[in-house]
Amino acid sequence: MTKRLVQGNEAVLLGAVRAGATYFAGYPISPSSEILMQASAYAAAHPELRFLQAEDEIASANAIIGASLAGAKSFTATSGPGFSLMQEAIGYAHKVGVPCVFVDVQRVGPGTGMPTMPGQGDILQTRYGSSGDYTSIVFYPSTVGECFEYTIHAFNAAEESRSPVILLSDAFLGHLNEVVDLDTIEVPVVPRTLERLASGSTRLFSGVLTYEDGEPATADADEFIRQFEAARLAREEAARRYAFYEYGWNKEADTLVICFGITRRISAPLAPYFALFRPIRIWPVLQDELREVAGRYRQIIVIEGSEGQYASVVERVLYRDVQRVPLLGGRMSLEAVREGLDRIGLLPAELAAQSASPVG
Amino acid sequence: MAVKDKLKEELFPTIWCPGCGIGLIMTQLATVMDEIGLDERNTVIVTGIGCTGRMGAYMRFDSVYTLHGRTLPVAEAIKTVRPELNVIVVSGDGDTASIGGNHLLHSIRRNPNITVLCNNNEIYGLTGGQAGPTTPKGTNTVSSPAGTVASPVNLQGLVNTNPQAYYAKTTVYHQGQMRRAIKEAIDWPGFSFVDITSQCIENNGRRIGFPSANEMLMYFKKEYRQAPSAARHLEHHQLGIVKGSPEAAVPVAPTAGGDGHSAE
Ligand SMILES: Cc1ncc(C[n+]2csc(CCOP(=O)(O)OP(=O)(O)O)c2C)c(N)n1
Ligand code: SF4
Ligand SMILES: [Mg+2]
């Protein structure tokens, strides 16, 4: 292939195909629908990709679980409201240990919210959306090329952790077109790890807590803790191989900016004035890396498309206050970033002068 | 091979209450599986949440014990990925027709080659006897002390909206007929649904006046009548099979210049 214009959503589909996905199920919802539509077109031309436009997101989520158990690398794509409907199934996949990939192209919620506007309000939902305790692996790219690259990583991490892995995107990134040569992006593909159904075993894939032999263990706290710890360790161990982040910009500055996904792109003109920490693996939170980097800076600002979901996580990890620049209602622009910095008194003088003139 | 090879007898006794109808379904299913050579390499069982959903744990197969109501999307996806497998869903009435009702509606129209055995005890057994989607109108339950007010879901009517689908109505009293229906349903090349009336003595039967499971079985014997063999639609308490034809014409999309009704 050569360089060409690729859309963020398309890059996700192509990444899934490159990772060896052979099953997609989904339900239309902006701003993720291109993934569904392009999956249908791809499947029509390449029957090895099975495609289902399901009756709803609950069906989509459960279908990719069934497909994975049957032996296919499987995925779905949705946005906030649909992602909420998938939460019970995500919990089931964690409990049972089903490798599969959920793509959430974020818009502004809650409820139907602002369907076509970019948001980043699902950060905590990707971690705590289902009931109970579990360990999520979540990636959030910020370029079209990265959409391709981290989709492959998401499939790999799903196999290695035997869990549902989430790839975050947003309305801005999903609809962004960039010139990229996807063939230059090389990520080794992890093969299937789970023995597919009907291979001769007689296993019980149960969302209910059971012992090895299938007997219910629904009143045995010790058994619960044993299985919970085993799952947590397996996922943390797998996640360790995917500790992706970016640390850069002006490392000599005294203030560190943390942003991710589309806010990373919007904030690019801040480069001369601040250091940057961009988590790509959103969960498990990059605790050690964050602590090490943040220790060098006097102040920390989190710029994000929510009221402060990731900022609250950073505060908890670092045991110190961080400044918030929330970009709400889909107002994802340099102007909004400037206003936010100004509000907390941290807008560099040079940027303040620029904002008086029209933005290029 | 023998019937008992299909069951994990080492896990018996089951958790089902003495007199529960679910075991009668499991025995007939295991018998059919033995008869037609279904084993752990060619068959997968998918069950939902409810007392019925426990069945998969007792069968010597790979078995997926899904979330409440989600058997059908899981089963359909398995069949899509592995068309060579027999995929058998076993689930309760609440699981199938209430929380899973939307999936049922759409599975019927997609016509996957899977078989659904619905243990229709007309109640939410596991959760203690609340009214369900097939509870007869007027029934006193722990959630309808003055009697249920809605009429039950018409499963036969629903399944047969697809002219290629297979529907059988039977009861756990009519063991031979149940066995034949299960076998035919598994053989059916499309969506097949066996609606099996059974008893939940513990959380329904006694409350509605049956002293024991045996009285409930005798009630099924007395109440249920065979429908005329060519019936296209079953009346209340009629046993029978309403099957379409795998080749039945279904309306197709209009195309420019075409009449939009041809099945070709
Ligand atoms: C999402 C969700 N809602 C509710 C429940 C609680 N619940 C478990 S089984 C059940 C009803 C079971 O009734 P049915 O499907 O008829 O099965 P039976 O026990 O009668 O065999 C309910 C409401 C649940 N497990 N999950
Ligand atoms: S509660 Fe009812 S359905 Fe459940 S095992 Fe007991 S008798 Fe059977
Ligand atoms: Mg029931």
Side-chain angles (χ1 to χ4, degrees), chain A residues 23 55-56 58-59 62-63 66 70 88-89 92 196-207 213-216, chain B residues 8 11 40-41 44 54 57 60-67 70 73-74 77-78 80-82 85 102-103 106 110:
Chain A
Y23 188 92
E55 55 272 28
D56 56 33
I58 300 176
N62 285 282
E88 190 196 17
Y92 176 88
R196 64 183 199 162
L197 287 171
S199 295
S201 314
T202 60
R203 299 161 292 179
L204 179 67
F205 296 94
S206 171
D213 64 4
E215 280 286 286
Chain B
K8 293 182 173 171
L11 297 181
E40 67 274 22
R41 290 190 173 275
V44 170
R54 288 295 308 164
R60 210 169 288 292
F61 291 83
D62 264 351
S63 171
V64 188
Y65 192 5
T66 67
L67 288 167
R70 313 305 165 204
V74 171
I78 293 169
T80 300
V81 173
R82 303 278 299 286
L85 297 181
N102 194 33
H103 307 312
H106 292 277
R110 285 189 291 256

Side-chain angles (χ1 to χ4, degrees), chain B residues 144-180:
Chain B
S144 59
T148 48
V149 292
S151 37
V153 171
N154 176 359
L155 288 170
Q156 183 259 311
L158 196 58
V159 172
N160 293 124
T161 54
N162 172 359
Q164 300 174 326
Y166 174 103
Y167 173 91
K169 176 77 199 179
T170 180
T171 87
V172 288
Y173 172 79
H174 300 85
Q175 291 271 295
Q177 194 201 32
M178 190 214 304
R179 186 170 59 249
R180 286 189 295 278

Side-chain angles (χ1 to χ4, degrees), chain A:
Chain A
M1 220 198 276
T2 46
K3 284 192 170 193
R4 67 173 179 94
L5 263 184
V6 183
Q7 193 203 43
N9 280 340
E10 183 188 1
V12 169
L13 173 72
L14 295 174
V17 167
R18 174 74 69 83
T22 55
Y23 188 92
F24 174 91
Y27 186 80
I29 182 167
S30 293
S32 73
S33 298
E34 290 82 8
I35 301 177
L36 171 124
M37 293 186 286
Q38 290 175 17
S40 78
Y42 189 91
H46 305 84
E48 65 276 14
L49 178 69
R50 308 289 182 159
F51 171 86
L52 173 70
Q53 182 178 326
E55 55 272 28
D56 56 33
E57 288 88 348
I58 300 176
S60 309
N62 285 282
I64 70 166
I65 289 169
S68 174
L69 293 173
K73 287 190 179 179
S74 61
F75 70 120
T76 184
T78 187
S79 187
F83 191 56
S84 297
L85 286 178
M86 294 178 175
Q87 292 302 324
E88 190 196 17
I90 290 173
Y92 176 88
H94 274 287
K95 164 67 186 70
V96 173
V98 185
C100 49
V101 172
F102 290 77
V103 179
D104 176 14
V105 187
Q106 298 166 96
R107 62 194 223 181
V108 178
T112 307
M114 302 168 79
T116 60
M117 300 302 275
Q120 298 185 318
D122 295 349
I123 298 293
L124 293 181
Q125 196 182 189
T126 58
R127 175 69 188 85
Y128 298 110
S130 200
S131 112
D133 293 313
Y134 55 94
T135 307
S136 298
I137 300 178
V138 180
F139 301 117
Y140 194 171
S142 73
T143 68
V144 170
E146 282 187 3
C147 285
F148 178 80
E149 180 180 350
Y150 289 103
T151 299
I152 304 173
H153 286 302
F155 276 91
N156 287 348
E159 291 301 332
E160 295 200 321
S161 65
R162 294 212 187 171
S163 73
V165 169
I166 294 159
L167 183 91
L168 280 172
S169 175
D170 53 60
F172 211 135
L173 186 58
H175 288 160
L176 187 72
N177 283 283
E178 286 186 311
V179 176
V180 50
D181 181 355
L182 298 178
D183 282 345
T184 61
I185 300 170
E186 280 178 28
V187 181
V189 168
V190 175
R192 223 55 246 288
T193 51
L194 185 71
E195 185 188 62
R196 64 183 199 162
L197 287 171
S199 295
S201 314
T202 60
R203 299 161 292 179
L204 179 67
F205 296 94
S206 171
V208 178
L209 192 76
T210 58
Y211 298 105
E212 194 75 28
D213 64 4
E215 280 286 286
T218 46
D220 184 342
D222 291 335
E223 180 63 17
F224 174 86
I225 292 166
R226 197 189 62 71
Q227 293 190 24
F228 167 73
E229 284 297 334
R232 188 174 63 78
L233 286 176
R235 274 138 216 184
E236 284 176 358
E237 154 82 19
R240 220 164 283 138
R241 294 189 283 278
Y242 298 85
F244 304 120
Y245 64 95
E246 177 188 3
Y247 170 45
W249 286 355
N250 179 2
K251 292 183 180 174
E252 309 308 316
D254 67 354
T255 300
L256 178 71
V257 160
I258 297 175
C259 52
F260 39 79
I262 196 59
T263 45
R264 156 70 178 83
R265 301 177 67 96
I266 292 164
S267 306
L270 305 182
Y273 318 105
F274 299 101
L276 165 75
F277 184 83
R278 169 171 73 106
I280 298 171
R281 193 189 78 193
I282 301 291
W283 300 106
V285 65
L286 293 159
Q287 185 164 304
D288 298 341
E289 296 80 354
L290 254 174
R291 283 186 183 152
E292 201 205 311
V293 170
R296 300 173 202 150
Y297 298 93
R298 204 166 54 78
Q299 290 203 89
I300 296 165
I301 308 170
V302 179
I303 303 174
E304 61 182 321
S306 78
E307 203 195 4
Q309 295 192 13
Y310 197 76
S312 67
V313 174
V314 175
E315 273 177 345
R316 199 181 65 208
V317 167
L318 301 181
Y319 305 111
R320 58 187 270 203
D321 287 342
V322 308
Q323 302 291 329
R324 288 164 162 75
V325 174
L327 306 180
L328 301 180
R331 271 185 71 224
M332 296 266 180
S333 62
L334 179 59
E335 196 48 45
V337 171
R338 278 197 194 111
E339 277 173 32
L341 289 172
D342 197 27
R343 214 172 303 127
I344 55 176
L346 292 173
L347 182 66
E350 267 177 64
L351 270 181
Q354 276 177 33
S355 66
S357 59
V359 181

Side-chain angles (χ1 to χ4, degrees), chain B:
Chain B
M1 287 299 238
V3 175
K4 66 180 183 49
D5 295 329
K6 305 296 166 200
L7 302 173
K8 293 182 173 171
E9 284 186 326
E10 64 276 17
L11 297 181
F12 288 8
T14 68
I15 61 162
W16 299 314
C17 309
C20 176
I22 300 173
L24 296 170
I25 300 175
M26 184 164 76
T27 308
Q28 292 308 330
L29 174 59
T31 305
V32 170
M33 290 173 136
D34 181 50
E35 232 174 87
I36 63 178
L38 303 195
D39 62 31
E40 67 274 22
R41 290 190 173 275
N42 60 24
T43 301
V44 170
I45 297 174
V46 180
T47 69
I49 296 295
C51 294
T52 315
R54 288 295 308 164
M55 194 186 293
Y58 300 124
M59 305 204 73
R60 210 169 288 292
F61 291 83
D62 264 351
S63 171
V64 188
Y65 192 5
T66 67
L67 288 167
H68 190 29
R70 313 305 165 204
T71 54
L72 291 172
V74 171
E76 266 195 74
I78 293 169
K79 185 70 185 178
T80 300
V81 173
R82 303 278 299 286
E84 74 279 13
L85 297 181
N86 300 288
V87 181
I88 299 173
V89 172
V90 187
S91 197
D93 42 41
D95 195 79
T96 306
S98 189
I99 191 165
N102 194 33
H103 307 312
L104 179 61
L105 187 66
H106 292 277
S107 268
I108 289 167
R109 87 186 164 86
R110 285 189 291 256
N111 198 36
N113 186 4
I114 64 176
T115 297
V116 180
L117 308 184
C118 178
N119 171 48
N120 191 348
N121 55 15
E122 303 180 345
I123 202 77
Y124 286 174
L126 184 75
T127 44
Q130 299 84 358
T134 59
T135 306
K137 191 170 178 174
T139 308
N140 295 326
T141 74
V142 296
S143 63
S144 59
T148 48
V149 292
S151 37
V153 171
N154 176 359
L155 288 170
Q156 183 259 311
L158 196 58
V159 172
N160 293 124
T161 54
N162 172 359
Q164 300 174 326
Y166 174 103
Y167 173 91
K169 176 77 199 179
T170 180
T171 87
V172 288
Y173 172 79
H174 300 85
Q175 291 271 295
Q177 194 201 32
M178 190 214 304
R179 186 170 59 249
R180 286 189 295 278
I182 292 174
K183 184 163 181 276
E184 215 176 59
I186 293 172
D187 282 342
W188 186 258
F191 188 78
S192 56
F193 192 99
V194 186
D195 177 357
I196 308 165
T197 295
S198 83
Q199 78 279 14
C200 167
I201 183 62
E202 200 60 34
N203 281 334
N204 185 39
R206 270 196 285 277
R207 183 170 300 102
I208 58 174
F210 293 97
S212 75
N214 190 53
E215 272 83 8
M216 292 190 89
L217 289 167
M218 289 307 118
Y219 175 80
F220 299 153
K221 175 185 181 188
K222 177 168 77 61
E223 267 296 308
Y224 281 82
R225 289 281 157 261
Q226 297 297 332
S229 60
R232 300 308 301 151
H233 133 98
L234 302 180
E235 303 293 341
H236 183 58
H237 286 189
Q238 272 189 344
L239 303 171
I241 290 169
V242 183
K243 51 185 171 191
S245 153
E247 288 84 37
V250 289
V252 296
T255 47
D259 62 8
H261 293 285
S262 135
E264 273 94 80

